[in-house]
Amino acid sequence: MRFAKNEIPKSTINRIAKYYAILLQLRSEDKIICTSEDLGRRMSVPSSLVRKDLGNFGEFGTKGVGYRVHYMIWRIEQILGYRAAWNAVIIGSCMPALTLLTASSIFPPGIHIAAVCDLEKDNPGVPVGGGSELATESFANINAIVQQRNIIMGIMAVEQSKSQQVANKLVEAGVTGIANLSSIPVLVPKHILLVEVNIASWLSQITYSLNGIIKNDFLAGKPYIESFS
Amino acid sequence: MRFAKNEIPKSTINRIAKYYAILLQLRSEDKIICTSEDLGRRMSVPSSLVRKDLGNFGEFGTKGVGYRVHYMIWRIEQILGYRAAWNAVIIGSCMPALTLLTASSIFPPGIHIAAVCDLEKDNPGVPVGGGSELATESFANINAIVQQRNIIMGIMAVEQSKSQQVANKLVEAGVTGIANLSSIPVLVPKHILLVEVNIASWLSQITYSLNGIIKNDFLAGKPYIESFS
C-alpha cells in the first residue's frame, strides 16, 4: 500500500489520469489550447484544484493563455509513466473476461499485456483472441513467466475465494505492482504497489444514497435468519 | 455529484462495502464472531478506523467480544441498500462486454439488471446470454425502457466519444443514478447520483509509482511531435 517516491496524494494522480482522458478528447476535437476552467468544468472540480494538481509537477501553463493541449498530453504521459512499457500479466477466471481485459482499452497507456493466465480451466495454449496474439498460460508457471518476461505487474480478476492465494503467488513470483479487480481486498507486503479496483464498493455509493432517498427496502421486513443460535 | 442524505464520506461507504465482502468470506469460513482487528487486518486499515466507520451507523459490536458476522452482514445490507432491488439498465458498446457485465457479480447486491442496450450494433432482440434471460434493446427507446420498468440507474460502459451523449440521454429518460465505467468523466445535473469507475485512473497510480522507482522511460527521448506550429 505504500506508494513510494513523494507525497502526491493518490486522489491527485486519479484526477490527473482523468485530465489526460479529457485532453485526448479535446485533441480529437482539434483544440490547441485549454484553460484550467475548461478542465475543471469537464471534471466538475474547481479550476483552482486543476491548477494545484498540475502545479505539483511544475508550472506548465501560461498565465492568461492556458495549457497547450498537445504538450500537456505529452507531459502527463511522462509524469504518469504512460510513455513506458510496463509488462503485465492478467490472471482471470473465465476466457471471455480474459479476452475483454486483453483487448479493451480500460488500462492506461504504458501497460503492456505480456501474458494471460486462465485460472479456471488450466488449459494453456488457447488463443486469447480480440486482436491479441497471446495464448493462455498455466498459472502454475507464474514464476518463470514473471522472471523471463520482465513482468512488473499482475492484474487480477479472479473469484473472491482465490484472490489472496493468487496475490501471494504473484508476490512470490516477484512482481512490483498488483491491481486487484476482484471484489475482496487482498493483503500484500509493504513493498508491493497495490491498487484495489473494487467496482462493487464504488457502486455501493449509489445504492447507499438511493436507500436514503427512495423507500425500496422491501426485504427489511424479513430479517436475515441467523444460522447460529 | 451531490450525494444526498447525510455527511458520511464516500470513502467510508467504499470501505463498508469492502468490510461486507470480507464478512461474506468469514461467513463462508464458518466464522461467527469477528473483531475490528480482524476486519482492519484484512483491509490494511487500523482497527480504530473500522470502529469509527461502523460507529457512523450506531453501535453494533459488543465491547470485548466483537461483531456477530451474520448480524453485521444483515446490517450492512440494510445500510448500503443491498436488500432492495434497484432496477438498472446497462449500456455497452460490444456484446461480449454486455454479457459479462450482466452475468458477473461485480455489482453489489441490490442492483437488478432489468434492461441491456447494445450501443454499437443497434440490433434489438439478441439474447444477452451468460445465464440472463434478457435480450438487447434499442437505446433509442431508452425513455420508454426507463419509465415503464421503473429503472433507477444507468450503468454505462461505452466508448469515450459517446459517454457524454449517453449520460445526457439517461438523465433525460429520468434515471436517478449513473455509474460511468467509461474512461472519461461525464457531466450530469446536481440531482443525479454519479459514480465514476475509472479503471485507467486507478491503475495510473501504479504506472506513476513504477515511473518513480524504475527507469523505463524509453520514449522520453522522443518528445511528442506537436502537430501545430
Side-chain angles (χ1 to χ4, degrees), chain A residues 27 78 82 204 207 211 224, chain B residues 27 78 80 82 204 211 224:
Chain A
R27 188 174 69 184
Q78 274 193 320
Y82 287 176
S204 295
T207 60
N211 211 28
Y224 194 90
Chain B
R27 188 174 70 184
Q78 275 194 320
L80 294 187
Y82 287 176
S204 295
N211 211 28
Y224 194 90

Side-chain angles (χ1 to χ4, degrees), chain A residues 185-207:
Chain A
V186 295
L187 296 176
V188 294
K190 285 185 182 172
H191 67 276
I192 300 288
L193 306 169
L194 174 69
V195 165
E196 299 278 357
V197 184
N198 192 313
I199 294 176
S201 80
W202 284 92
L203 265 70
S204 295
Q205 291 177 12
I206 289 191
T207 60

Side-chain angles (χ1 to χ4, degrees), chain A residues 20-40:
Chain A
Y20 179 76
I22 293 167
L23 287 161
L24 291 184
Q25 179 77 28
L26 291 172
R27 188 174 69 184
S28 78
E29 295 165 7
D30 293 325
K31 298 280 196 312
I32 284 172
I33 296 285
C34 76
T35 63
S36 54
E37 285 76 18
D38 293 335
L39 287 173

Side-chain angles (χ1 to χ4, degrees), chain A:
Chain A
M1 295 287 273
R2 248 48 60 189
F3 279 69
K5 196 178 182 178
N6 55 30
E7 299 301 315
I8 309 289
K10 291 179 190 179
S11 53
T12 302
I13 301 301
N14 274 25
R15 278 193 302 274
I16 289 180
K18 292 176 184 173
Y19 300 147
Y20 179 76
I22 293 167
L23 287 161
L24 291 184
Q25 179 77 28
L26 291 172
R27 188 174 69 184
S28 78
E29 295 165 7
D30 293 325
K31 298 280 196 312
I32 284 172
I33 296 285
C34 76
T35 63
S36 54
E37 285 76 18
D38 293 335
L39 287 173
R41 194 169 47 242
R42 295 214 189 197
M43 285 265 296
S44 307
V45 299
S47 59
S48 57
L49 183 60
V50 176
R51 290 190 298 273
K52 191 181 162 213
D53 285 342
L54 297 171
N56 280 303
F57 304 98
E59 280 298 326
F60 44 99
T62 308
K63 210 162 186 176
V65 177
Y67 303 101
R68 288 187 300 157
V69 171
H70 288 244
Y71 174 73
M72 280 277 284
I73 288 171
W74 177 75
R75 192 70 185 88
I76 292 179
E77 286 173 347
Q78 274 193 320
I79 290 167
L80 295 186
Y82 287 176
R83 298 181 76 76
W86 310 110
N87 282 346
V89 56
I90 295 179
I91 301 107
S93 287
C94 77
M95 198 61 200
L98 286 170
T99 307
L100 267 180
L101 286 173
T102 307
S104 73
S105 53
I106 60 169
F107 302 129
I111 292 186
H112 172 244
I113 308 301
V116 172
C117 296
D118 183 353
L119 202 66
E120 192 190 36
K121 301 192 189 120
D122 199 7
N123 49 354
V126 180
V128 173
S132 165
E133 289 180 5
L134 293 171
T136 54
E137 302 182 55
S138 172
F139 189 61
N141 296 336
I142 190 67
N143 286 7
I145 293 169
V146 166
Q147 282 152 32
Q148 286 162 13
R149 251 164 290 169
N150 192 25
I151 284 176
I152 212 152
M153 185 188 319
I155 299 171
M156 302 171 34
V158 304
E159 56 189 287
Q160 186 159 319
S161 60
K162 290 180 182 162
S163 301
Q164 186 61 55
Q165 188 189 339
V166 169
N168 294 348
K169 294 209 169 152
L170 283 170
V171 171
E172 276 172 38
V175 300
T176 307
I178 292 180
N180 178 24
L181 275 62
S182 314
S183 62
I184 194 163
V186 295
L187 296 176
V188 294
K190 285 185 182 172
H191 67 276
I192 300 288
L193 306 169
L194 174 69
V195 165
E196 299 278 357
V197 184
N198 192 313
I199 294 176
S201 80
W202 284 92
L203 265 70
S204 295
Q205 291 177 12
I206 289 191
T207 60
Y208 166 72
S209 293
L210 287 173
N211 211 28
I213 298 169
I214 300 161
K215 278 298 146 220
N216 181 8
D217 209 10
F218 70 83
L219 288 173
K222 312 187 212 167
Y224 194 90
I225 310 239
E226 295 185 330
S227 62
F228 60 99
S229 69

